[in-house]
Amino acid sequence: MDQNAYDFIKELEAEYGQPIDWKTYSMWFGRSDGTVRDYGVLLFRIGDIMYYEDFEKQRSILGFQLPKKSHAPAFVKLKGNFSCREVKDICKVVKASAATWLRTPSAPPLRPASKIIALLRQTVTMITMDDGTMMFFELLDEKAFKENIAQYKEA
């Protein structure tokens, strides 16, 4: 972990008042209210609560930061959380289908991707909460994410 990442984690721990128990990164994020983040979200667990938070992506070439585009929309920070105990279901779905579903409220319900489809198409992890809210994560470590959720679902 480089110094900037270490400092960022320490800031989060100070903000939440507790050490982070587990963390991963999601390359893509979507939520059933239409929120989408194409540039990634940090996902971390403190106790039985999963937090997600994005940060402003800095454009760069070969490590050199480029100036912001003058017509670029202002960055609006995304922060949220959910209880691991309130996760109803976790499954993989095709990313393109999830993106379409998020843009089109009248789209048909999403179906879990079969193992063959998951090999052939880009997938995301769909989390359905007890209240019906759905979130989509393109996780770097899906197995560890499921294990983190399961340890609180079984408790």
Side-chain angles (χ1 to χ4, degrees):
M1 183 181 333
D2 71 3
Q3 188 62 41
N4 288 339
Y6 178 80
D7 291 343
F8 180 67
I9 295 300
K10 288 299 171 196
E11 287 175 25
L12 286 174
E13 290 178 338
E15 178 181 342
Y16 290 97
Q18 296 180 35
I20 291 174
D21 299 317
W22 175 83
K23 63 187 176 306
T24 191
Y25 190 73
S26 174
M27 302 300 292
W28 186 83
F29 171 82
R31 191 173 53 209
S32 54
D33 66 0
T35 301
V36 174
R37 291 296 192 266
D38 290 319
Y39 45 81
V41 170
L42 178 67
L43 182 65
F44 58 97
R45 182 179 58 76
I46 298 174
D48 71 336
I49 304 294
M50 279 286 179
Y51 296 88
Y52 52 91
E53 181 171 322
D54 71 347
F55 37 91
E56 190 167 15
K57 183 178 180 188
Q58 302 293 324
R59 297 179 337 123
S60 65
I61 293 180
L62 301 173
F64 296 100
Q65 286 189 359
L66 299 174
K68 264 187 154 179
K69 291 181 179 180
S70 59
H71 61 280
F75 173 72
V76 177
K77 186 147 188 78
L78 169 74
K79 279 184 149 185
N81 65 67
F82 58 91
S83 170
C84 296
R85 298 176 198 280
E86 295 175 358
V87 173
K88 181 178 177 181
D89 187 43
I90 300 174
C91 68
K92 282 189 174 212
V93 296
V94 174
K95 181 179 178 180
S97 298
T100 300
W101 185 86
L102 288 166
R103 287 190 311 268
T104 314
S106 62
L110 293 166
R111 295 186 325 213
S114 68
K115 291 184 187 238
I116 293 172
I117 294 296
L119 288 172
L120 301 173
R121 308 271 315 263
Q122 190 173 9
T123 59
V124 293
T125 303
M126 179 175 77
I127 294 103
T128 305
M129 304 302 293
D130 287 338
D131 69 359
T133 301
M134 289 189 280
M135 289 173 274
F136 304 88
F137 295 95
E138 188 176 9
L139 298 167
L140 292 181
D141 193 351
E142 180 185 28
K143 181 180 177 186
F145 173 77
K146 286 180 175 180
E147 289 169 357
N148 272 272
I149 297 295
Q151 78 183 33
Y152 290 98
K153 289 296 288 180
E154 295 168 359

